[in-house]
């Protein structure tokens, strides 16, 4: 999805023959952890990662001489705790006795806080006799860079020093080729009976009916001795911090049916999990495990999805991206002055420029989206103070669009990577085979993507509106550029015989006549004429696009169509949501509500957590959607999709300049008889909105209104 290695599958990703869907992730700040259902990490695609370096690569628990029998495992709905419940297999004889299977309950429970893994192993003897329990952990730290873990080869690397032991503590050290010394420390609450640099062995005496706890910590700095008090205190901090993130902005609740509310809760919890509070404000990291870092495009779209409920995300994203705006030209980084960052990484390989992603700008759409989001944020909040602060960055971004984004002077934003290490395709569909002509052959560059022109149109419009409020005398020029882009798209991308827009123009100005979901993003920006928007909407709603679980990225029957591919026929929830929001902008409500219901049905099969993508096979009665084997879970813009689609279905828009909330032809999805939005803030005003089905229509009743604002329903 988001970098040059996004579609690779390493051997470790095929854990238990079904990949990342079997792995479970925790995240806190710039630290994340991926383990299997037992809580074990085996040095494949799993481990404990900090700042893009794996600081615990192996962590495997055995009871007796075997892995315990797993009863259940999962991550708590608030995404703070992982737990695995298991029981023992028959234990080897100790003192002439052997404990039978199933008499011990063993719970592994862990969380992340303050760049540290906290784990508790709780052992309860439910048998009729005392038990001697041999417990062991195999561990290791390879300090591998995240790109190395994902399969990028390295000719050489730094020095992994021999671990040092100190009673109940093991310290690991690595000196990288970047001259940075990295540390990791593993510590136990009880001294092991035997401790080496790779294994800790314990022998616990469990009287019948009694409980014994073992606490473990792993962090980047010197380990303190773990104990129950440290566990409880840090667990409280972790849970309070997550709760605070989940409570930002307004809340949405459905009917009494707990399943729909659970989906809303899970989506909000996933967005909170992925949001890291940076010095510049909250930022939704793209996803775990491979995209747990700030991405430009992903952060902007996730913030836009949540904008109507929680504008603080957009403020944090805009402020952070402004601080990372390019100031010079770099072919290796695909950067030019004014361009907005695509991705940033903190590992050794990035620092050494073995990969270009320490600060990489190879996203052709991010700069336009940055400006467009600033306009949307201002309309939602009326926060001109932030716009004034960002104005130099917005002007620099507009100058990039004018001077660099349009490489051949034809008035369209285009791309062509500066170095072979960069992304060959630089829109959101960035896999190598995602942009092509009708016969399947790849276009020559520079390539002008359809949806990017829509983003540019929205950016120029936003600049015009903001410039007028700030008294900038270039307002007319920016509005003229928006109109120029609109006309160019209508003239050069429209295919009258198809009733649709081409996915791109190649370097010769020829249409790439593939029929793809990119046109849905164009609708989202409001660029097409009403008549053409209706024709595009009609085609997007056909069975060739619509699977019953969402909208495919590529129409059935197109060259390179493959429902199991990354971008050429799969379903991406955020892509479906943006298309739905685009349709709603042109008055389509009923179909948008139906698509929301379809995505909800898909989410129900994925345990209420929408993956990054899933396969684009048609929906069959009684059968679930088919998972894409290495999709990220959770993914920020997948989690945010439900909220954008709800906004689209309700026809809800907020005009902070005039203090109004408008609902245009609101529709509730089938089976949803009511919806409550509480704590919706506009400036200093706040209101609750209660939606109900009355005589076949959705009716909204404002409640608990405080401050100067008006709520209007438009038909």
């Amino acid at each position: 999805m988001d970098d040059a290695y996004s579609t690779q599958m390493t051997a470790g990703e095929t854990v238990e023959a079904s990949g990342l869907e079997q792995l479970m992730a925790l995240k806190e700040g710039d630290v994340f952890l991926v383990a299997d259902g037992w809580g074990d990490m085996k040095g494949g695609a799993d481990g404990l990662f900090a700042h893009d370096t794996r600081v615990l690569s192996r962590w495997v628990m055995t009871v007796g001489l075997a892995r315990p029998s797993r009863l259940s495992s999962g991550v708590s709905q608030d995404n703070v705790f992982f737990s695995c419940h298991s029981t023992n297999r028959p234990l080897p004889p100790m003192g002439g006795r052997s404990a039978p299977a199933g008499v011990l309950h063993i719970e592994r429970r862990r969380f992340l806080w303050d760049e540290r893994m906290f784990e508790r192993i709780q052992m309860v003897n439910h048998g009729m006799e005392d038990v001697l329990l041999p417990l062991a952990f195999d561990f290791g730290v390879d300090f591998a860079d995240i790109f190395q873990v994902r399969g990028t080869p390295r000719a050489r690397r730094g020095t992994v020093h021999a671990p040092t032991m100190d009673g109940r503590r093991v310290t690991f050290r690595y000196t990288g080729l970047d001259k940075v010394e990295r540390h990791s420390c593993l510590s136990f609450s009880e001294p092991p009976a035997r401790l080496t640099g790779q294994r800790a062995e314990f022998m616990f005496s469990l009287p019948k009916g009694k409980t014994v706890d073992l606490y473990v910590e792993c962090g980047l700095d010197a380990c303190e001795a773990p104990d129950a008090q440290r566990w409880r205190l840090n667990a409280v901090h972790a849970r309070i911090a997550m709760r605070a993130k989940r409570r930002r902005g307004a809340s949405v609740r459905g009917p009494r049916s707990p399943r729909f509310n659970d989906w809303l809760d899970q989506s909000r919890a996933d967005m909170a999990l992925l949001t890291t509070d940076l010095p510049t404000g909250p930022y939704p990291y793209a996803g775990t495990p491979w995209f747990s870092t700030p991405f430009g495009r992903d952060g902007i779209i996730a913030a836009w999805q949540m904008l109507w409920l929680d504008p603080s995300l957009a403020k944090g994203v805009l402020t952070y991206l402004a601080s990372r705006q390019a100031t010079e030209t770099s072919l290796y980084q695909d950067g030019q002055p004014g361009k907005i960052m695509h991705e940033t990484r903190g590992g050794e390989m990035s620092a050494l420029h073995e990969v270009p992603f320490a600060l990489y700008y190879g996203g052709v759409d991010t700069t336009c989206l940055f400006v467009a989001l600033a306009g949307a944020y201002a309309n939602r909040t009326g926060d001109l103070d932030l716009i004034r602060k960002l104005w130099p960055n917005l002007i620099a971004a507009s100058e990039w669009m004018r001077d660099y984004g349009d490489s051949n002077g034809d008035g369209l934003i285009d791309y062509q990577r500066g170095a072979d290490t960069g992304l060959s395709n630089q829109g959101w569909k960035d896999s190598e085979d995602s942009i092509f002509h009708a016969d399947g052959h790849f276009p020559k560059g520079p390539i002008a993507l359809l949806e990017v022109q829509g983003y540019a149109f929205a950016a120029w419009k936003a600049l015009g509106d903001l410039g007028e409020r700030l008294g900038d005398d270039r307002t007319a020029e920016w509005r003229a550029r928006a109109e120029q882009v609109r006309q160019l798209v209508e003239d050069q991308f429209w295919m009258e015989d198809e009733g649709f827009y081409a996915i791109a123009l190649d370097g010769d100005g020829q249409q790439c006549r593939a029929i793809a979901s990119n046109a849905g993003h164009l609708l989202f920006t409001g660029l097409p004429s009403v008549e053409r928007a209706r024709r595009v909407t009609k085609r997007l709603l056909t069975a060739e696009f619509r699977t019953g679980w969402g909208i495919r990225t590529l129409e059935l029957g197109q060259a390179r169509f493959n429902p199991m591919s990354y971008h050429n026929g799969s379903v991406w929830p955020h892509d479906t949501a943006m298309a739905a929001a685009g349709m709603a902008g042109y008055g389509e409500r009923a179909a948008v509500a139906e698509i929301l219901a379809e995505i909800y049905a898909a989410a129900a099969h994925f345990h209420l957590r929408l993956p990054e993508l899933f396969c684009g096979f048609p929906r069959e009665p009684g059968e679930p959607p088919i998972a894409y084997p290495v999709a990220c879970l959770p993914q920020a813009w997948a989690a945010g999709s439900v909220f954008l689609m709800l906004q689209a279905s309700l026809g809800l828009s907020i005009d902070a300049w005039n203090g109004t909330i408008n609902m245009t032809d609101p529709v509730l999805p089938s089976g949803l008889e009511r919806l409550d939005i509480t704590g919706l803030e506009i400036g200093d005003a706040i209101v609750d909105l209660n939606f109900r089905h009355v005589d076949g229509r959705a009716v909204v009743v404002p409640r608990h209104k405080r401050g100067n604002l008006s709520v209007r329903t438009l038909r």
Side-chain angles (χ1 to χ4, degrees):
M1 177 204 68
D2 281 307
D3 57 43
Y5 308 91
S6 58
T7 58
Q8 293 183 8
M9 186 189 302
T10 67
E13 289 176 291
T14 59
V15 174
E16 296 189 2
S18 53
L20 291 178
E21 64 182 352
Q22 294 296 320
L23 300 181
M24 300 185 185
L26 297 175
K27 175 189 170 295
E28 193 277 319
D30 287 307
V31 175
F32 71 91
L33 184 152
V34 182
D36 67 16
W38 280 262
D40 290 338
M41 298 170 256
K42 298 180 178 179
D46 47 11
L48 175 64
F49 295 80
H51 309 284
D52 292 325
T53 299
R54 186 157 61 181
V55 296
L56 184 62
S57 52
R58 184 168 180 80
W59 180 242
V60 177
M61 184 182 81
T62 53
V63 177
L65 301 177
R67 174 182 256 191
S69 296
R70 183 170 60 144
L71 302 174
S72 70
S73 62
V75 175
S76 59
Q77 191 177 55
D78 64 3
N79 289 318
V80 174
F81 293 98
F82 163 83
S83 61
C84 173
H85 295 269
S86 62
T87 188
N88 65 295
R89 302 179 191 274
L91 296 178
M94 296 285 177
R97 294 179 180 178
S98 62
V103 298
L104 303 180
H105 173 227
I106 304 166
E107 181 196 22
R108 296 179 75 175
R109 189 167 175 84
R110 69 164 63 115
F111 64 93
L112 302 178
W113 181 248
D114 195 23
E115 298 194 328
R116 188 176 297 272
M117 177 190 81
F118 293 83
E119 181 162 340
R120 183 189 69 194
I121 298 92
Q122 187 170 81
M123 299 154 280
V124 184
N125 183 0
H126 292 286
M128 297 302 293
E129 297 183 355
D130 297 349
V131 171
L132 286 176
L133 172 62
L135 188 73
F137 296 90
D138 292 297
F139 52 80
V141 179
D142 60 5
F143 293 103
D145 185 278
I146 192 168
F147 287 103
Q148 185 180 0
V149 174
R150 293 173 57 185
T152 305
R154 299 189 71 186
R156 63 191 188 96
R157 59 182 310 230
T159 302
V160 178
H161 303 280
T164 58
M165 283 72 71
D166 178 18
R168 64 186 71 183
R169 180 184 300 115
V170 185
T171 302
F172 308 89
R173 186 165 60 92
Y174 170 74
T175 304
L177 298 178
D178 57 357
K179 309 303 182 186
V180 174
E181 190 164 284
R182 295 169 172 87
H183 299 86
S184 179
C185 184
L186 187 63
S187 183
F188 302 93
S189 61
E190 300 291 333
R194 181 172 179 267
L195 179 64
T196 71
Q198 295 83 36
R199 184 174 172 87
E201 298 177 355
F202 298 85
M203 184 63 69
F204 290 104
S205 176
L206 270 72
K208 59 182 181 181
K210 298 299 183 180
T211 299
V212 173
D213 292 336
L214 174 68
Y215 295 92
V216 183
E217 293 183 21
C218 182
L220 306 184
D221 50 13
C223 295
E224 297 187 40
D227 56 27
Q229 182 178 358
R230 282 179 55 79
W231 163 272
R232 287 193 296 266
L233 179 63
N234 285 281
V236 167
H237 287 317
R239 183 149 261 174
I240 288 175
M242 185 65 77
R243 187 177 302 151
K245 287 194 284 188
R246 291 179 66 187
R247 290 180 175 176
R248 288 173 177 155
S251 67
V252 184
R253 305 298 294 169
R256 293 183 179 181
S257 167
R259 193 73 170 158
F260 187 82
N261 285 332
D262 285 348
W263 183 35
L264 295 174
D265 289 343
Q266 185 66 66
S267 300
R268 203 65 181 264
D270 286 349
M271 190 66 77
L273 171 73
L274 294 169
T275 297
T276 297
D277 289 324
L278 302 173
T280 48
Y283 200 106
Y285 284 12
T288 58
W290 305 127
F291 306 124
S292 187
T293 190
F295 277 81
R297 177 193 306 121
D298 299 64
I300 290 170
I301 291 177
W304 208 322
Q305 291 170 327
M306 302 298 297
L307 180 60
W308 67 289
L309 292 171
D310 180 14
S312 71
L313 276 183
K315 183 176 183 179
V317 166
L318 290 167
T319 305
Y320 178 84
L321 292 178
S323 73
R324 296 299 186 96
Q325 191 170 32
T327 58
E328 60 186 17
T329 298
S330 168
L331 294 179
Y332 183 68
Q333 294 175 301
D334 274 319
Q336 297 100 20
K339 200 173 184 183
I340 296 299
M341 177 201 86
H342 170 68
E343 174 182 3
T344 183
R345 294 286 186 175
E348 179 187 3
M349 292 176 69
S350 295
L352 293 170
H353 304 296
E354 295 177 27
V355 293
F357 303 112
L359 195 53
Y360 181 60
Y361 294 89
V364 69
D365 47 9
T366 309
T367 308
C368 304
L369 284 167
F370 170 77
V371 179
L373 178 63
Y377 170 81
N379 291 337
R380 167 63 179 86
T381 64
D383 183 4
L384 271 182
D385 288 341
L386 179 66
I387 300 303
R388 288 190 184 95
K389 178 182 176 182
L390 298 178
W391 196 241
N393 304 99
L394 295 170
I395 295 301
S398 74
E399 291 171 348
W400 176 85
M401 293 166 60
R402 182 194 66 200
D403 299 337
Y404 295 97
D406 177 11
S407 69
N408 55 15
D410 64 357
L412 300 171
I413 304 294
D414 55 43
Y415 68 89
Q416 186 164 302
R417 66 181 176 185
D420 290 343
T421 52
L423 297 174
S424 55
N425 283 317
Q426 298 191 357
W428 86 263
K429 294 179 179 177
D430 58 5
S431 51
E432 290 186 355
D433 63 348
S434 61
I435 308 300
F436 51 88
H437 284 281
D439 63 0
H441 81 270
F442 297 131
K444 61 178 290 188
I447 297 169
L449 291 171
L450 172 66
E451 74 276 13
V452 175
Q453 315 317 313
Y455 304 153
F457 167 77
W460 291 122
K461 278 190 63 179
L463 278 172
D465 293 345
L466 294 173
E468 181 176 2
R469 293 189 180 277
L470 295 178
D472 195 299
D473 58 11
R474 291 165 287 188
T475 295
E477 172 194 342
W478 295 326
R479 287 177 171 159
R481 285 188 177 275
E483 177 57 26
Q484 178 192 26
V485 172
R486 189 194 67 77
Q487 193 61 52
L488 285 170
V489 172
E490 296 286 47
D491 290 346
Q492 297 185 35
F493 285 82
W494 180 252
M495 302 180 293
E496 180 61 29
D497 58 327
E498 296 282 5
F500 212 77
Y501 292 94
I503 193 174
L505 301 183
D506 69 11
D508 294 325
Q510 299 299 307
Q511 291 179 344
C512 298
R513 292 172 60 86
I515 307 297
S517 64
N518 304 54
H521 293 234
L522 194 70
L523 297 182
F524 179 77
T525 68
L527 183 148
S529 68
V530 172
E531 188 273 334
R532 288 182 175 178
R534 287 173 178 166
R535 293 177 71 181
V536 169
T537 295
K538 183 178 179 181
R539 189 153 183 178
L540 287 171
L541 293 176
T542 63
E544 283 71 27
F545 266 114
R546 195 170 166 188
T547 65
W549 304 115
I551 295 173
R552 295 185 179 102
T553 51
L554 187 68
E555 187 183 59
L556 179 70
Q558 295 292 302
R560 298 190 177 275
F561 174 81
N562 180 350
M564 301 174 290
S565 68
Y566 202 55
H567 288 128
N568 292 337
S570 54
V571 175
W572 289 64
H574 90 278
D575 183 48
T576 292
M578 292 186 75
M583 296 176 198
Y586 287 89
E588 177 59 63
R589 287 282 182 276
V592 168
E594 290 175 7
I595 292 170
L596 173 57
E598 292 173 2
I599 288 287
Y600 167 51
H605 286 285
F606 289 114
H607 307 290
L608 301 178
R609 169 178 276 175
L610 283 170
E612 177 188 17
L613 74 156
F614 48 91
C615 293
F617 293 103
R619 186 173 181 174
E620 299 291 346
E623 296 184 11
I626 298 174
Y628 185 81
V630 291
C632 282
L633 271 174
Q635 189 87 351
W637 62 13
S641 296
V642 56
F643 303 108
L644 181 60
M645 284 188 288
L646 270 177
Q647 181 186 15
S649 181
L650 299 175
L652 188 150
S653 62
I654 297 173
D655 178 2
W657 307 116
N658 296 305
T660 61
I661 302 174
N662 295 321
M663 269 74 60
T664 305
D665 292 325
V667 174
L668 289 173
S670 175
L672 195 66
E673 295 299 318
R674 49 174 292 215
L675 190 75
D676 298 324
I677 301 170
T678 57
L680 191 62
E681 297 183 15
I682 305 177
D684 295 329
I686 189 169
V687 68
D688 297 344
L689 302 176
N690 301 138
F691 291 85
R692 300 289 185 274
H693 263 308
V694 178
D695 296 330
R697 280 185 155 187
V699 175
V700 60
V701 178
R703 299 186 185 277
H704 309 119
K705 186 173 73 172
R706 299 189 297 278
N708 186 24
L709 63 84
S710 62
V711 178
R712 302 185 300 178
T713 302
L714 308 176
R715 300 288 181 182

